[in-house]
Amino acid sequence: MSTEYDTTPTADPGIEAREAHWDRRANGFDTDFTQAPVREQVLDQISRQLPTEPCTALDAGTGSGRTMARLIQGLHPESDIVGCDLSPAMLHQARVHAPHKARGSLSFVYADLCALPFDDGGFDLVVSTFTLHHVPPTQQLAVLRELRRVLGEDGMLILADQVQPDPPLSVEAMRAAVAETFYPHLPHAEAVGLLSTYGEWPLTVGELTDLLEAAGFGCEVTDIHRIVAIATATPGHAHPRGRQ
Ligand SMILES: C[S@@+](CC[C@H](N)C(=O)[O-])C[C@H]1O[C@@H](n2cnc3c(N)ncnc32)[C@H](O)[C@@H]1O
């Protein structure tokens, strides 16, 4: 298992390489990454913000479906929920792990967040957890614009992600922080071996705020942990200058 890991912007290895990485991670994902207490803390906070009325919801970068399971449990039973991801193996895990949903619809869609196969304004709620920092920097604004496009004018985006402290940590310090934060139950070397092999691109809270505004959101970003933040964003005025 590779221990290569970089938190500085690197060239995008291409969507096939990123998809292959997540396909490889899919089988064990629910028993490693999703155990960290900070993950539960994020999901608890998201659960407290969910609308109470029936809605259409998108889980963008659904992975093995841990966040989607919270949406199924927390949203009104008549809600329609879609999970999308670029990894077929992750989508398979999400399907397998999805709690039974007696009413409303549940679907799983293979899609790149840069070009979502959904109508403008079709969702009342978009949730995305721990996915944006896996999107190359040159595509992050495009992804947020897509999330904005598919969200209705009265909708809400809740985005939780790994963030880079300000001032940034060194690559080694970030690697240690990620391993300790997301894999506290594993020996350090094993935890580091699970980290992305293609580089990751976490934003600072300030950069995330700027990017959300550039994508047309008004937002509030709260850091709930040294390297984890949650943004609650609603359609607002686009920032006059984009960062990318
Ligand atoms: C760290 S996992 C998080 C999964 C899940 N949201 C969670 O919190 O457990 C990141 C997920 O984002 C997906 N992903 C990364 N880049 C993507 C893109 N451009 N389009 C769609 N999915 C993407 C990966 O396939 C992976 O399943």
Side-chain angles (χ1 to χ4, degrees), residues 79-237:
S79 296
D80 297 318
I81 307 176
V82 179
C84 74
D85 204 284
L86 58 66
S87 159
M90 282 290 195
L91 288 168
H92 173 75
Q93 292 295 323
R95 257 188 218 100
V96 168
H97 290 119
H100 176 66
K101 183 164 164 53
R103 292 179 282 157
S105 66
L106 187 59
S107 47
F108 301 87
V109 176
Y110 173 80
D112 180 0
L113 297 182
C114 289
L116 291 171
F118 306 121
D119 293 339
D120 294 1
F123 292 99
D124 305 305
L125 173 71
V126 175
V127 174
S128 185
T129 56
F130 299 106
T131 295
L132 188 67
H133 73 284
H134 290 295
V135 172
T138 53
Q139 298 172 20
Q140 288 176 341
L141 179 58
V143 164
L144 294 180
R145 286 193 169 136
E146 272 299 85
L147 301 185
R148 168 69 188 88
R149 181 185 66 76
V150 301
L151 197 60
E153 287 306 311
D154 297 324
M156 175 170 61
L157 165 69
I158 308 175
L159 188 146
D161 204 12
Q162 180 185 313
V163 289
Q164 177 66 266
D166 188 8
L169 296 177
S170 69
V171 170
E172 276 312 308
M174 188 64 169
R175 175 159 61 184
V178 171
E180 283 157 19
T181 303
F182 294 104
Y183 306 99
H185 51 293
L186 295 179
H188 185 74
E190 195 179 331
V192 168
L194 290 171
L195 303 183
S196 167
T197 52
Y198 60 81
E200 296 181 0
W201 304 280
L203 299 165
T204 64
V205 166
E207 290 169 336
L208 179 58
T209 305
D210 282 354
L211 212 58
L212 282 162
E213 288 179 357
F217 288 104
C219 67
E220 187 181 335
V221 184
T222 324
D223 37 352
I224 64 163
H225 176 282
R226 188 164 60 121
I227 60 163
V228 177
I230 298 187
T232 305
T234 49
H237 294 296

